[in-house]
Amino acid sequence: MTFQHRPGDIVKARDREWVVTGVEDQSVSLRPLAGSEEDVQVISLAVEGPDAIQSAEFRRPSPSDLGNREQALLLKDAMSLSIRRGAGPFRSAASITFTPRSYQIAPLLMALKLDPVRLLIADDVGIGKTIEAGLIVREMLDRAAIRKFAVVCPAHLVSQWVDELKTKFEIDAVAVTTATAAKLERGLPETESLFRHYNFTVVSLDFIKGAKRIDDFVREAPELVVVDEAHSCVTGNESRHRRFEVVSKIAARPNSHLLLLTATPHSGIENAFFRLLGLIDPEFLKLGEADGQERRELRDRLGDHFIQRRRVDLKVFPDGNAFPIHRKDERKYSLGREHGAFIEDVLDYCHSVVSKAGSDERRQRLAFWGTLALMRCVASSPAAAVSALRARALSEFENSEVVFDGVLDRDDEDVEGSDVEPNALSHLEINPKLERLIAQAIGLAASPGKDPKLTCLRKAVEELRGFGHMPVIFCRYISTARLVGEYLRKVFKGVEVGIVTGEFPPAERKQAVLDLMDHEDRILVATDCLSEGINLQDGFDAVVHYDLSWNPTKHQQREGRVDRFQQPSATVRSVLMYGEDNPVDGAVLEVIIRGAQAIQKQLGVVVSLPEDERAVSRALMKATMLRSKGAGRTQMSFDFLADADKEIATYWRNAEDREKRTRTIFAQSVLKPQDVVDEWQRASEILGTAEDVLRFAQSSLNAYGVPFQVEKAIVTVPLEPLPDSIRERLDILGFTDSIKIETRGVRAPSRSHPLVATLAEHIVEAALEGADDQRLARAAVWRTSETTDIQTVVLARARFRIFLKTRSGETMRIAEQVGAFRLVGPDGQTLLDKGALDILAAPVAQDVPTGVAQRMVVDALARLDRRKDSVEIWSAQRAGTLAEDHRRVARAGAGRAAQIDIGQARVEPIHPVDIIGLFVVLPALQ
């Protein structure tokens, strides 16, 4: 027997009404009439028989469902907020927990025109690359374009990705790392890979770079792979080479979807940049050599696959300036006699070390990098200097040609372990000079109150706190962070000071930050282990660079932890600290920071540290020695330092020219997302705006006798008064005693807030399944002075079959939309779509006696029966509008070489329309 029902039809099975969501040969997927996707059940026709599923009709309102206007509005809001299968052209609008900005829609529009999707998203730090990639993932899942996906990223970003997918996109992904793999694999058949078993994964790059793991992942890789920090896969050492092997094997699969994310696509090495582009399409490798017409054609093609925006580029968007104002400042200090003498003594010692290196190339290299490493530690703090001077690990260098990888803050450097003080002089024998330096450093570290750098920090923090800011102080080394944290604890009594360094695993770092944010008055001291991977905008809005980074993009990354999308503060501040008579700070400012600042001032972009480590290190060494007062050191005779300043100056000139060319070549002029912002907002309004969410939260909680008291823009909702069924759902989500709601700003609750979603689903289920709940009304009658005629307002749920083109043909999805229309006049002779919700919101002038109201509901049902054809016309018009919405979005996303035409979407209304509520609004009595 052939199953007669199609997806979207209403049926009855197991003594309950359902919506058909899928039909296979011998099985049918059913969703409860008022349930969510998590409640879907699969019925086997072979087991339960072909008669297990019968035709059914949606139960219309009746006089027994009578209530008042407030209850009617509560049901209307609950219906809108419970929809998870939105009918608009952006299917993901119903599944995300925030409102994206218009510029964040641009990559999604590009992706919708590609098959397979191959994109390099290179937006600036803080703009929201994770958001942009998540929108694409969510949309492709909701369109059934993919079933599985994986995010591949550095280990320190895994936790953040898992959280972002869960909290913003309602996607439960599992973290696959060295620490979690064994647990995930436990219980799986020996022949089954965890990459096959789990549909949504966030995978550490370092976990899969082993040969066996690479083959396993590539063999089982899902249809879509997102690669974060993609630039780290095309430059650097052997470890990066293994990363490139992973990504290139994924890219080699012809039909795989691939999203590459990076804030620094071009780090100064042309070949690395073109290798990155080659992952999108091998043809783009030719961009490095092509010229003339071929180059222009390749650039045009690349425009469909590459998007890069800086903050300055976003000003053309309607909400492109919706970032906090960023006020930058500098604070300088004088070293004082003791600290100044210590640095001079260290530099004297470094000079002697380099001078004694002789002609042995390896010894020269160790001495040179050891000197730079020690200079970094001394400039950071006496505590870091003690750690570096005491380190004695000769064996680490006996078989290693890679020395002090972490001296320079490279863009592709792993943050794990980068804040440990280097074994700066481990290749040397202990001697009296070194012992004296250690003693000096210990003495200075023991007297933090006399440290001019700490005094400068205290004043800077006092000023930031005076402005009401919660600051993060970034230090280069663990020892420095400890010193700074303990000092601030003594200075700022009653303020909670947290210290987070790379000593702790990523999960513990995150928990430490969350614990700190529970304190109203707080300061965070951290190393660069937090400059990536944990967004801090929820609890902090200022940054102090206690230690200068030796890479300008690191300053941007630090500041980007607070100066980013969804920062609730209107203003963020950053403070750059340096010693005005510290030769090391002076060299870093001269060689690195000021050059980058000049380019940023002119172009609005931050350029990376030169890839040529030799040029940077030579320039730093020369500038430091020239600034120092030590006798004889200003005339260093090393030939390799002769042209160091010219090399670095040339780099900055070339970097500026390169950025100008890049902006010209890859400017995104095709996409105009502002053209479809109205479409996204329309979808959001249908599904529920922020104002709708807050109104619903307050009215539903009041209906259950729960107070809604706002204190400092936050409502703390006690859960004990709520019905058991609601509390049980919230308990599963981890809320037992209370739950908080923020009432304004970017943290205001969305439709997916746990409390809002739970209340909406409970109310809809109670109303549609006939629960005995006096708080609900599917029918109501009242009088208002806002009308002079009888208005029959119908709250309806329209269902649609939406057919979209994919690479395999046409796919169909069921979508729903809650709307209202009105029949005007005693016979309902006029049907109007507009104004129905305004009539519902009109104030009540007089109530109507129950007996009269029940008769009016009977009459309204009769009017509705007479206008059955008009109701179907209304849903058909909605379907036509949806099809046009899809075409409009498709046109906005059209590129030069679009590979798939979603403009031909077909939208088919499903009849009959579900009548949710029936409300009669009468003219007021005079």
Side-chain angles (χ1 to χ4, degrees):
M1 178 179 177
T2 304
F3 188 71
Q4 300 296 320
H5 299 287
R6 300 174 60 194
D9 289 345
I10 294 177
V11 297
K12 185 171 184 178
R14 299 174 180 172
D15 296 321
R16 189 178 186 183
E17 279 72 39
W18 309 76
V19 175
V20 178
T21 59
V23 180
E24 301 292 340
D25 288 341
Q26 288 296 320
S27 64
V28 181
S29 298
L30 304 176
R31 173 180 53 80
L33 204 57
S36 66
E37 301 297 338
E38 296 177 354
D39 301 320
V40 168
Q41 299 285 320
V42 178
I43 291 183
S44 171
L45 299 178
V47 174
E48 300 194 32
D51 296 330
I53 301 175
Q54 300 291 328
S55 297
E57 291 186 2
F58 187 83
R59 186 181 73 85
R60 299 195 305 176
S62 70
S64 63
D65 296 314
L66 197 64
N68 57 40
R69 185 187 72 103
E70 287 69 26
Q71 294 166 342
L73 289 174
L74 185 62
L75 176 62
K76 186 268 294 183
D77 286 343
M79 286 298 306
S80 295
L81 295 174
S82 65
I83 291 291
R84 288 294 182 270
R85 296 156 296 278
F90 298 107
R91 213 76 68 250
S92 55
S95 304
I96 62 175
T97 65
F98 64 100
T99 301
R101 293 174 181 165
S102 59
Y103 64 81
Q104 292 173 328
I105 304 173
L108 172 58
L109 294 175
M110 294 173 68
L112 291 177
K113 296 299 295 183
L114 298 172
D115 190 13
V117 177
R118 293 290 178 100
L119 281 182
L120 172 56
I121 303 174
D123 286 345
D124 223 341
V125 174
I127 285 178
K129 290 184 297 299
T130 303
I131 295 294
E132 293 165 345
L135 284 171
I136 295 172
V137 171
R138 182 73 260 183
E139 186 73 22
M140 293 181 74
L141 285 171
D142 291 342
R143 287 171 174 263
I146 59 172
R147 293 186 310 104
K148 304 172 69 173
F149 76 89
V151 176
V152 179
C153 62
H156 63 277
L157 297 178
V158 170
S159 176
Q160 178 187 329
W161 265 102
V162 171
D163 287 347
E164 292 284 284
L165 290 170
K166 173 63 176 176
T167 59
K168 290 186 170 65
F169 301 99
E170 297 188 330
I171 298 174
D172 287 311
V174 296
V176 182
T177 65
T178 304
T180 64
K183 182 178 179 180
L184 293 173
E185 290 173 331
R186 194 175 301 134
L188 295 181
E190 283 189 30
T191 57
E192 184 171 10
S193 162
L194 63 86
F195 299 120
R196 174 183 293 183
H197 183 78
Y198 294 99
N199 288 342
F200 311 142
T201 57
V202 180
V203 188
S204 164
L205 263 169
D206 291 327
F207 171 73
I208 57 171
K209 69 184 181 183
K212 183 178 181 298
R213 292 292 188 184
I214 288 178
D215 292 340
D216 186 24
F217 180 72
V218 172
R219 183 176 60 254
E220 304 292 351
E223 307 101 308
L224 170 64
V225 176
V226 181
V227 182
D228 199 4
E229 302 295 333
H231 63 276
S232 70
C233 299
V234 294
T235 60
N237 55 28
E238 177 65 20
S239 174
R240 272 47 169 202
H241 175 74
R242 300 292 287 172
R243 293 180 179 183
F244 179 74
E245 183 181 354
V246 175
V247 181
S248 60
K249 284 187 174 182
I250 293 170
R253 300 185 310 165
N255 291 324
S256 63
H257 304 291
L258 183 64
L259 301 181
L260 303 175
L261 314 182
T262 174
T264 53
H266 200 313
S267 56
I269 298 181
E270 293 282 341
N271 289 338
F273 178 56
F274 293 124
R275 287 176 78 192
L276 191 59
L277 297 181
L279 292 171
I280 301 172
D281 187 332
E283 286 291 306
F284 294 143
L285 289 169
K286 299 177 182 178
L287 273 167
E289 301 174 355
D291 54 19
Q293 181 64 25
E294 183 183 16
R295 186 176 179 88
R296 285 191 293 273
E297 290 176 357
L298 285 171
R299 286 177 183 173
D300 285 346
R301 280 194 55 214
L302 182 61
D304 292 318
H305 301 271
F306 178 78
I307 184 167
Q308 180 179 31
R309 283 87 54 86
R310 309 301 191 189
R311 293 281 180 95
V312 293
D313 301 322
L314 301 181
K315 293 181 179 179
V316 299
F317 292 83
D319 48 6
N321 289 320
F323 290 95
I325 298 170
H326 189 162
R327 302 194 184 281
K328 298 191 176 188
D329 202 358
E330 294 184 355
R331 291 289 181 271
K332 57 186 179 181
Y333 58 91
S334 298
L335 287 171
R337 184 176 61 83
E338 290 185 347
H339 288 78
F342 173 61
I343 287 184
E344 286 299 320
D345 289 345
V346 169
L347 293 180
D348 276 337
Y349 182 74
C350 288
H351 180 259
S352 67
V353 169
V354 176
S355 299
K356 291 177 182 178
S359 59
D360 184 282
E361 185 177 337
R362 180 174 180 275
R363 192 169 182 83
Q364 280 186 344
R365 185 167 62 253
L366 288 168
F368 185 77
W369 285 103
T371 295
L372 283 175
L374 182 56
M375 286 163 49
R376 286 214 71 170
C377 292
V378 169
S380 178
S381 71
V386 171
S387 296
L389 289 166
R390 278 179 165 172
R392 322 300 303 166
L394 179 61
S395 61
E396 291 188 15
F397 300 103
E398 288 178 347
N399 300 311
S400 175
E401 292 299 316
V402 181
V403 183
F404 302 123
D405 256 355
V407 173
L408 300 178
D409 302 329
R410 299 174 57 89
D411 289 325
D412 62 352
E413 179 181 73
D414 286 328
V415 298
E416 300 305 313
S418 64
D419 54 3
V420 177
E421 297 77 8
N423 300 321
L425 303 172
S426 59
H427 62 291
L428 301 177
E429 298 293 333
I430 296 178
N431 58 57
K433 286 185 178 180
L434 188 58
E435 289 179 336
R436 284 196 295 273
L437 289 178
I438 293 173
Q440 281 180 273
I442 292 173
L444 293 175
S447 303
K450 298 179 181 179
D451 190 328
K453 188 175 181 181
L454 287 172
T455 301
C456 178
L457 173 65
R458 175 178 58 78
K459 294 178 179 178
V461 172
E462 286 175 345
E463 183 175 342
L464 289 172
R465 285 168 50 77
F467 286 118
H469 289 296
M470 301 290 180
V472 184
I473 293 90
F474 277 105
C475 306
R476 181 62 180 82
Y477 296 114
I478 293 173
S479 297
T480 303
R482 290 175 183 162
L483 177 73
V484 168
E486 293 302 328
Y487 172 77
L488 293 177
R489 285 170 178 168
K490 293 177 182 177
V491 171
F492 295 99
K493 302 291 186 182
V495 178
E496 190 69 20
V497 178
I499 305 172
V500 178
T501 71
E503 296 171 286
F504 309 109
E508 292 184 20
R509 294 175 213 163
K510 178 184 175 183
Q511 190 58 51
V513 172
L514 293 175
D515 291 344
L516 181 60
M517 286 166 53
D518 287 337
H519 297 271
E520 188 171 344
D521 204 357
R522 55 190 176 270
I523 298 172
L524 174 60
V525 180
T527 62
D528 283 321
C529 72
L530 288 189
S531 66
E532 299 177 62
I534 297 180
N535 297 334
L536 304 174
Q537 75 270 19
D538 286 347
F540 304 92
D541 54 9
V543 163
V544 178
H545 302 284
Y546 186 77
D547 290 332
L548 294 176
S549 174
W550 287 18
N551 186 348
T553 58
K554 281 290 184 183
H555 286 168
Q556 184 190 32
Q557 289 169 347
R558 291 171 174 179
E559 293 166 6
R561 295 308 96 203
V562 301
D563 181 11
R564 62 189 303 109
F565 174 64
Q566 290 194 323
Q567 166 59 258
S569 297
T571 301
V572 298
R573 282 181 164 82
S574 60
V575 178
L576 189 75
M577 288 180 51
Y578 63 90
E580 60 181 342
D581 53 353
N582 184 329
V584 182
D585 282 357
V588 174
L589 284 167
E590 176 185 319
V591 173
I592 298 175
I593 305 300
R594 298 309 185 201
Q597 285 178 337
I599 295 176
Q600 185 177 21
K601 184 176 181 180
Q602 182 175 354
L603 301 181
V605 300
V606 177
V607 295
S608 303
L609 185 75
E611 285 286 342
D612 186 353
E613 293 180 346
R614 293 172 298 177
V616 181
S617 57
R618 289 169 183 169
L620 286 172
M621 181 74 81
K622 183 176 181 179
T624 301
M625 295 306 178
L626 287 174
R627 286 174 171 274
S628 182
K629 303 172 185 177
R633 282 191 275 110
T634 58
Q635 303 298 323
M636 292 188 73
S637 58
F638 300 109
D639 292 338
F640 62 83
L641 293 180
D643 296 322
D645 49 357
K646 295 180 182 178
E647 286 182 281
I648 201 69
T650 299
Y651 169 78
W652 290 125
R653 286 196 301 271
N654 292 341
E656 183 173 351
D657 291 341
R658 185 184 71 241
E659 287 297 328
K660 289 178 180 177
R661 290 197 310 273
T662 300
R663 287 165 64 85
T664 301
I665 294 172
F666 302 120
Q668 273 292 339
S669 58
V670 174
L671 284 169
K672 294 181 176 59
Q674 58 266 41
D675 295 341
V676 294
V677 169
D678 290 344
E679 205 57 60
W680 186 280
Q681 290 177 341
R682 184 187 305 176
S684 298
E685 288 169 2
I686 291 173
L687 296 167
T689 64
E691 292 75 16
D692 293 333
V693 169
L694 282 174
R695 184 185 65 251
F696 170 75
Q698 182 169 7
S699 59
S700 59
L701 289 171
N702 288 340
Y704 288 107
V706 181
F708 193 88
Q709 297 175 347
V710 181
E711 183 177 349
K712 294 183 179 180
I714 293 177
V715 177
T716 301
V717 179
L719 303 183
E720 197 276 332
L722 291 171
D724 291 344
S725 57
I726 296 178
R727 285 191 288 109
E728 287 170 3
R729 293 188 187 191
L730 291 171
D731 183 63
I732 293 173
L733 297 174
F735 302 99
T736 54
D737 299 322
S738 64
I739 190 169
K740 292 183 178 180
I741 298 178
E742 297 189 35
T743 60
R744 64 169 181 250
V746 296
R747 299 298 166 195
S750 71
R751 63 199 314 274
S752 297
H753 185 282
L755 180 61
V756 173
T758 302
L759 285 168
E761 290 176 6
H762 172 82
I763 289 172
V764 169
E765 288 176 11
L768 301 190
E769 295 184 359
D772 184 15
D773 193 327
Q774 300 304 313
R775 305 172 185 86
L776 306 174
R778 292 186 64 191
V781 181
W782 67 90
R783 295 183 179 275
T784 181
S785 58
E786 299 294 318
T787 183
T788 58
D789 208 339
I790 296 176
Q791 305 268 355
T792 304
V793 179
V794 181
L795 180 65
R797 177 171 61 185
R799 284 171 287 121
F800 308 93
R801 298 182 184 97
I802 300 180
F803 300 87
L804 296 171
K805 286 187 176 181
T806 67
R807 67 164 67 130
S808 58
E810 194 174 57
T811 183
M812 187 271 290
R813 298 291 280 175
I814 300 300
E816 297 177 351
Q817 189 180 94
V818 173
F821 59 89
R822 54 194 174 115
L823 303 174
V824 182
D827 294 323
Q829 57 267 33
T830 304
L831 183 146
L832 296 175
D833 196 356
K834 294 182 179 180
L837 295 180
D838 293 334
I839 292 295
L840 278 184
V844 177
Q846 295 106 15
D847 291 323
V848 176
T850 301
V852 175
Q854 288 176 336
R855 287 195 300 273
M856 296 293 263
V857 171
V858 172
D859 292 343
L861 288 169
R863 283 194 292 274
L864 194 60
D865 287 336
R866 291 194 294 270
R867 299 302 308 272
K868 181 179 179 181
D869 57 336
S870 296
V871 176
E872 292 185 355
I873 291 172
W874 172 80
S875 67
Q877 290 173 341
R878 289 264 171 149
T881 300
L882 287 173
E884 176 55 33
D885 291 345
H886 280 79
R887 284 190 287 272
R888 187 163 47 253
V889 169
R891 288 193 295 269
R896 300 178 183 88
Q899 296 161 317
I900 182 169
D901 184 5
I902 65 165
Q904 299 302 314
R906 293 190 300 113
V907 183
E908 178 184 291
I910 299 173
H911 294 144
V913 172
D914 298 342
I915 305 303
I916 305 296
L918 194 62
F919 311 112
V920 181
V921 184
L922 306 172
L925 297 174
Q926 300 301 320

